[in-house]
Amino acid sequence: MEKEQWRDVKGYENLYEISNQGRLKSLKYNKIMSPALIWDGKNQIPRYTVNLRRNGKCKCYCLSKVVAEAWVDNPENKPRVYFKDGKCLNCKADNLYWDISSKSGTRGVGILDTKTKQRYKSITQLAKELGVPYRTLWQSITDGTNPRYIRKNY
């Protein structure tokens, strides 16, 4: 296991530090901050967010982007952060990479069932086919559980 290291948060130097393990620390209070879990977007993708304050103003950021800006090289200035293992709640620096937006059409869109080779347009479509709520499906994906197992035991 890699030793935890800390760097300043871009734009919030001397106020916050972010670790390569995805933990945020307030330097003012010398305390590790807890991220909030939100369900983002049309397909209800789970994300950790953090609120950062500077000069009396508060701004919300995705934790994965804060980690990536401090720890992951981005020489081509790509705009989006993605997860190598596909688990949106694993915000460790070694699990993140920069890439172009899926909206540009250059990344594959959808979900591929590697066993049947069937492609689904969205998590919502897959959840309907499996007959489970999409939040249950997302929880299984972020936990690493096989979605087919969820259908059998739901």
Side-chain angles (χ1 to χ4, degrees):
M1 184 169 171
E2 191 177 338
K3 185 178 189 269
E4 189 168 32
Q5 299 172 356
W6 296 88
R7 291 186 181 166
D8 284 330
V9 172
K10 184 179 173 184
Y12 293 85
E13 292 80 3
N14 301 319
L15 295 172
Y16 299 96
E17 287 183 342
I18 191 75
S19 82
N20 59 338
Q21 300 298 309
R23 298 193 318 152
L24 181 71
K25 180 173 29 176
S26 166
L27 297 178
K28 181 178 180 180
Y29 298 105
N30 196 28
K31 178 178 162 183
I32 301 295
M33 299 174 61
S34 297
L37 178 64
I38 64 161
W39 295 86
D40 184 27
K42 178 181 170 188
N43 292 318
Q44 297 295 302
I45 300 169
R47 299 270 189 225
Y48 281 130
T49 62
V50 291
N51 291 317
L52 302 180
R53 296 180 188 278
R54 179 182 56 213
N55 301 328
K57 295 184 180 180
C58 182
K59 196 162 181 186
C60 183
Y61 296 92
C62 281
L63 180 61
S64 56
K65 190 157 189 175
V66 175
V67 173
E69 285 178 343
W71 291 98
V72 181
D73 290 333
N74 190 9
E76 297 176 28
N77 202 26
K78 294 180 178 177
R80 300 273 313 260
V81 177
Y82 290 93
F83 305 85
K84 292 177 184 174
D85 66 2
K87 297 179 183 175
C88 301
L89 301 180
N90 181 359
C91 296
K92 294 180 179 179
D94 61 2
N95 186 48
L96 304 174
Y97 68 98
W98 292 95
D99 207 341
I100 54 179
S101 172
S102 60
K103 292 179 182 175
S104 70
T106 56
R107 278 186 54 87
V109 177
I111 300 158
L112 178 66
D113 183 332
T114 55
K115 194 171 188 178
T116 65
K117 303 298 182 202
Q118 183 174 353
R119 184 170 293 279
Y120 299 91
K121 290 182 182 179
S122 66
I123 290 295
T124 304
Q125 181 189 11
L126 179 57
K128 284 179 183 176
E129 171 165 318
L130 294 175
V132 299
Y134 57 77
R135 286 193 182 206
T136 302
L137 181 60
W138 262 112
Q139 189 64 45
S140 76
I141 290 169
T142 58
D143 289 345
T145 307
N146 182 335
R148 301 282 173 197
Y149 177 79
I150 297 298
R151 178 169 52 182
K152 293 176 188 171
N153 294 295
Y154 184 72

